[in-house]
Amino acid sequence: MMRDGVRSVGNHFDMASRLHETDGLQPFEPATRTSRILLRARGAPAGLVDGAWWPRTTNLTLELHDVISSVATHLGRTARVAFAWNPRSVTQRGLDRHDGVLVCGPVDGQPQNVMYLFGTDGSRLALLVVPPDTEADGAYAAMRLAVGASEV
């Protein structure tokens, strides 16, 4: 869905079902839930982040497969995810070594509330992470503001 230069990556089941084909994307199973992600539209003016994600839980690694699948059409195959993980996410990691995705701490200068996803081709996608306990209207407003929507 496209509105105000914002592309919503709400329902990605069609794309996720293609991930088993030999298209170079992540080999993850189809998403178990729709990720709450909003991405800046291609060709829209650049901003501090490329999108925003509102996770359902504080254990962010549980939703990483779905997030990676959601952004695959923008980023391609994900090689690495950098973030200031909380202790719960680190101890209950949802990605396995065989996934081909390195999960690491933040890079120098990375804001604490921004997750970087690095593609195998060297590209990078920056997602503002909205706290999961944020009220729905506030979370949606923060996501739209992050991607430069003209009306919040």
Side-chain angles (χ1 to χ4, degrees), residues 45-67:
L48 297 175
V49 294
D50 304 301
W53 171 39
W54 181 33
R56 288 173 164 67
T57 175
T58 57
N59 184 359
L60 303 182
T61 56
L62 288 177
E63 298 180 54
L64 270 182
H65 280 177
D66 293 345
V67 169

Side-chain angles (χ1 to χ4, degrees), residues 41-100:
R42 293 182 196 270
L48 297 175
V49 294
D50 304 301
W53 171 39
W54 181 33
R56 288 173 164 67
T57 175
T58 57
N59 184 359
L60 303 182
T61 56
L62 288 177
E63 298 180 54
L64 270 182
H65 280 177
D66 293 345
V67 169
I68 290 169
S69 293
S70 293
V71 303
T73 57
H74 281 263
L75 185 66
R77 188 174 185 84
T78 299
R80 179 170 55 122
V81 179
F83 189 65
W85 304 100
N86 63 38
R88 182 175 183 197
S89 292
V90 171
T91 60
Q92 296 179 343
R93 186 168 177 240
L95 293 178
D96 300 316
R97 294 191 194 287
H98 69 274
D99 292 332

Side-chain angles (χ1 to χ4, degrees), residues 8-126:
S8 173
V9 184
N11 188 343
H12 60 280
F13 292 106
D14 291 338
M15 186 211 38
S17 64
R18 291 185 292 134
L19 296 178
H20 297 292
E21 298 173 10
T22 57
D23 59 5
L25 300 177
Q26 298 296 336
F28 298 145
E29 294 296 324
T32 55
R33 292 195 272 189
T34 302
S35 295
R36 300 184 299 193
I37 293 178
L38 210 56
L39 293 177
R40 186 176 303 278
R42 293 182 196 270
L48 297 175
V49 294
D50 304 301
W53 171 39
W54 181 33
R56 288 173 164 67
T57 175
T58 57
N59 184 359
L60 303 182
T61 56
L62 288 177
E63 298 180 54
L64 270 182
H65 280 177
D66 293 345
V67 169
I68 290 169
S69 293
S70 293
V71 303
T73 57
H74 281 263
L75 185 66
R77 188 174 185 84
T78 299
R80 179 170 55 122
V81 179
F83 189 65
W85 304 100
N86 63 38
R88 182 175 183 197
S89 292
V90 171
T91 60
Q92 296 179 343
R93 186 168 177 240
L95 293 178
D96 300 316
R97 294 191 194 287
H98 69 274
D99 292 332
V101 179
L102 173 65
V103 175
C104 62
V107 299
D108 289 339
Q110 180 177 348
Q112 187 170 353
N113 62 341
V114 175
M115 178 179 284
Y116 289 162
L117 293 95
F118 295 92
T120 56
D121 64 357
S123 59
R124 185 190 83 186
L125 191 70

